[in-house]
Amino acid sequence: MNAHDICVRGQGPAGRALALALSAQGWRVALTGDAARTARPGDLRTYALNARAVKLLSRIKVWDALLHAGDAATRVLDMQVCGDDGGHIAFSAWEQCETELAWIVDAQALDEALAQALRYAAHVAVVPEDDPAAAAAPLVAICEGARSATRAALDAGVRRQEYGHTALAARLVADRPHAGVARQWFRSPDILALLPFDRPEPGRSYGLVWSQPHAQAQRLLALDDAAFEAELNAATGGAAGALRLGSARAGWPLSLVKVERWCGPGWVVVGDAAHQVHPLAGQGLNLGLADVDTLARVLGEARRHEPWRSPGDERLLRRYVRERAAPTAAMAGLTDGLLHLFANPAAPLRELRNRGMTALGALPPVKRWLVGRALD
Ligand SMILES: Cc1cc2nc3c(=O)[nH]c(=O)nc-3n(C[C@H](O)[C@H](O)[C@H](O)COP(=O)(O)OP(=O)(O)OC[C@H]3O[C@@H](n4cnc5c(N)ncnc54)[C@H](O)[C@@H]3O)c2cc1C
C-alpha cells in the first residue's frame, strides 16, 4: 500500500498550487522538487492573473497572504493597446462592470506565499525527487515546466517551436502615477508591455515585459542603465511618463510547447509541462492554474462519487483533459497568431492589422467577449 495517493512533481506555482488544492480535499500528497532547484531568488517577473486564478489562490489560502504583503498585488483598471501604425484599442474595468481587468502579482512573492501555505498543509509531504520509493503513488502529476524530464520519459508527443525571441523583464519606476493602467505595444518585431505595479515604489512602478529577437534582446541586456532607459523611453514615447529602471534586467527565451497526450495510466501533465505559450497575453500561468482548478475538481468529484476509482485511472484523467485541451489550444493559437500577424513588416498587412485593431475597439460586444475570455 502506498503512503501517498498523488505525487506532484515540480514546485513551480502550478505544482505548489495543485499540492495545496489536493491536500485541502484530503488526498495524501507527495511533493517533489528540492529547494535548490525551486528557489528563484530575485525573479523579476510580474504575472498578470485573471479572476479564475485569483479565486483558486483564495481557496487555497494564498491570495490573502499576498494582499497582506501590501504591495505584492496591484489591480489593473484599464488597458491601452497600440499597434505599429496608429491602431489602438482600450479596455476598462468600469466599462465591463468589473472591479478590475486583472491583478499584477510579484512572481517571487507568489512563490513565497505558496511555500508558506505548504508548511501548514495537513496532507503534503515534501520528498526528495531522486527517491522513487518515497514518492510512490498511483498518480504522478507532472508540473515540471516546459522542459520536464519526467514527461520526456513518457509517450506524451511533445512539440516545441522556438520563437527565436527573448522576453526581457525588469521593474520600472515612472515619474507619474500608473493609475492602474496597463499598456502594450504590438510592433514589428518587438512587443512591449508595461504592467502597473506597486514595487519598488507604490503607485508609480511597472513590470516590464519586452520581447525581442534574441540578438536585439541581448544587445538591450548588455546596455548600461542610462542607454537602456533611453531606448525604453523612445519605445514608449512618454505614454507612461519618464521611466527609469527599478531593478536589474533578465531575459527568458520563448517557445511554444504543445503535448499530444496529456495523460496516461497513472500520469497527467499540468501547467507549462502541458503547454507553454508566448507571454504576450500574460496567460501562461493563468492556463496552468485553470488546469490545477479543473484537475482538483475532477479528482475531488471522483473521490466523493466513485471512491473505488484510483486517482491514476486514465478514464478519470481524461475528464480533466477534455475540459482543458480545447481552451489551451485556443490560447496557444491566439498568442501565436497575434505574434505572426505583428511580425510581418509588409505595409498592406500593417495597415490592415492596425485598422482591424481600432475597428475592434469600436465594437463593445466584441470587447466584452474578449475581456470575458481573458478573465476566465
Ligand atoms: C517574461 C515572462 C512573463 C510572464 N508573464 C506571465 C503573466 O503575466 N501571466 C501569466 O499567467 N503567465 C506569465 N508567464 C508564464 C508563467 O511564467 C508560466 O506559465 C509559469 O511559470 C508556469 O508555471 P509551472 O509551475 O507550470 O512551471 P515552472 O514555473 O516552469 O515550474 C516548474 C518547476 O518544476 C521544477 N522541475 C523541473 N524538473 C523537475 C524534476 N525533474 N523534478 C522536480 N522538479 C522539477 C522546476 O525547477 C520548477 O521549479 C510569463 C513567462 C515569462 C517568461
Side-chain angles (χ1 to χ4, degrees):
M1 162 116 174
N2 289 311
H4 311 290
D5 302 308
I6 300 165
C7 170
V8 176
R9 290 192 69 89
Q11 289 205 42
R16 284 179 170 166
L18 181 62
L20 287 166
L22 295 173
S23 166
Q25 294 177 355
W27 294 105
R28 297 164 307 159
V29 179
L31 178 64
T32 75
D34 58 38
R37 188 203 277 280
T38 305
R40 294 187 277 199
D43 190 334
L44 296 168
R45 282 176 295 182
T46 44
Y47 297 132
L49 293 187
N50 64 19
R52 183 173 182 183
V54 169
K55 252 190 227 154
L56 171 74
L57 293 173
S58 302
R59 243 191 356 263
I60 58 175
K61 317 274 184 249
V62 166
W63 187 247
D64 280 357
L66 273 172
L67 290 188
H68 285 140
D71 55 1
T74 304
R75 285 176 205 270
V76 179
L77 302 176
D78 293 285
M79 185 161 185
Q80 304 277 346
V81 184
C82 297
D84 54 350
D85 194 13
H88 180 250
I89 185 167
F91 300 93
S92 128
W94 177 80
E95 203 179 271
Q96 307 294 331
C97 304
E98 299 286 348
T99 45
E100 63 277 318
L101 292 173
W103 286 86
I104 307 301
V105 170
D106 184 288
Q108 204 182 336
L110 176 61
D111 273 347
E112 285 163 11
L114 287 161
Q116 183 71 16
L118 279 169
R119 278 185 214 124
Y120 301 101
H123 307 291
V124 180
V126 177
V127 301
E129 63 191 58
D130 54 1
D131 184 349
L139 173 63
V140 178
I142 303 166
C143 309
E144 295 173 352
R147 297 192 179 271
S148 166
T150 306
R151 183 196 59 196
L154 296 161
D155 176 27
V158 181
R159 282 184 288 148
R160 171 185 296 277
Q161 176 194 327
E162 302 296 342
Y163 278 124
H165 284 211
T166 294
L168 198 152
R171 302 293 161 85
L172 308 172
V173 179
D175 67 350
R176 64 179 201 224
H178 58 58
V181 182
R183 298 173 190 277
Q184 191 164 26
W185 288 263
F186 281 86
R187 295 188 296 219
S188 179
D190 64 313
I191 300 171
L192 192 162
L194 296 180
L195 306 172
F197 199 49
D198 293 324
R199 282 181 181 174
E201 289 193 24
R204 294 199 297 127
S205 304
Y206 288 96
L208 168 72
V209 186
W210 196 358
S211 59
Q212 302 262 4
H214 288 322
Q216 174 69 352
Q218 290 314 318
R219 190 185 66 75
L220 285 172
L221 284 166
L223 291 176
D224 65 33
D225 286 2
F228 178 82
E229 286 167 358
E231 293 220 15
L232 175 69
N233 281 300
T236 56
L243 298 165
R244 65 179 165 80
L245 280 164
S247 74
R249 288 157 267 164
W252 280 261
L254 301 177
S255 46
L256 176 68
V257 177
K258 297 178 186 175
V259 300
E260 271 156 27
R261 273 186 83 202
W262 284 49
C263 70
W267 64 270
V268 67
V269 285
V270 176
D272 272 24
H275 43 71
Q276 192 177 42
V277 298
H278 194 289
L280 66 85
Q283 287 296 327
L285 182 55
N286 287 307
L287 290 173
L289 292 178
D291 294 348
V292 168
D293 195 22
T294 304
L295 181 59
R297 199 197 69 241
V298 164
L299 290 170
E301 283 170 1
R303 190 179 166 90
R304 278 194 304 280
H305 304 302
E306 302 160 275
W308 42 269
R309 211 185 264 286
S310 158
D313 184 333
E314 191 179 354
R315 269 180 301 176
L316 172 60
L317 300 172
R318 278 203 227 116
R319 294 177 196 162
Y320 152 74
V321 179
R322 275 197 292 276
E323 269 191 52
R324 294 305 304 148
T328 301
M331 185 55 72
L334 178 72
T335 51
D336 196 48
L338 274 173
L339 185 72
H340 286 104
L341 180 65
F342 280 89
N344 192 326
L349 191 60
R350 194 168 68 210
E351 190 180 334
L352 204 64
R353 67 195 175 217
N354 281 276
R355 282 192 186 196
M357 183 184 263
T358 306
L360 271 185
L363 296 172
V366 178
K367 278 169 63 176
R368 255 197 305 281
W369 184 85
L370 283 172
V371 171
R373 298 286 73 72
L375 286 176
D376 60 23

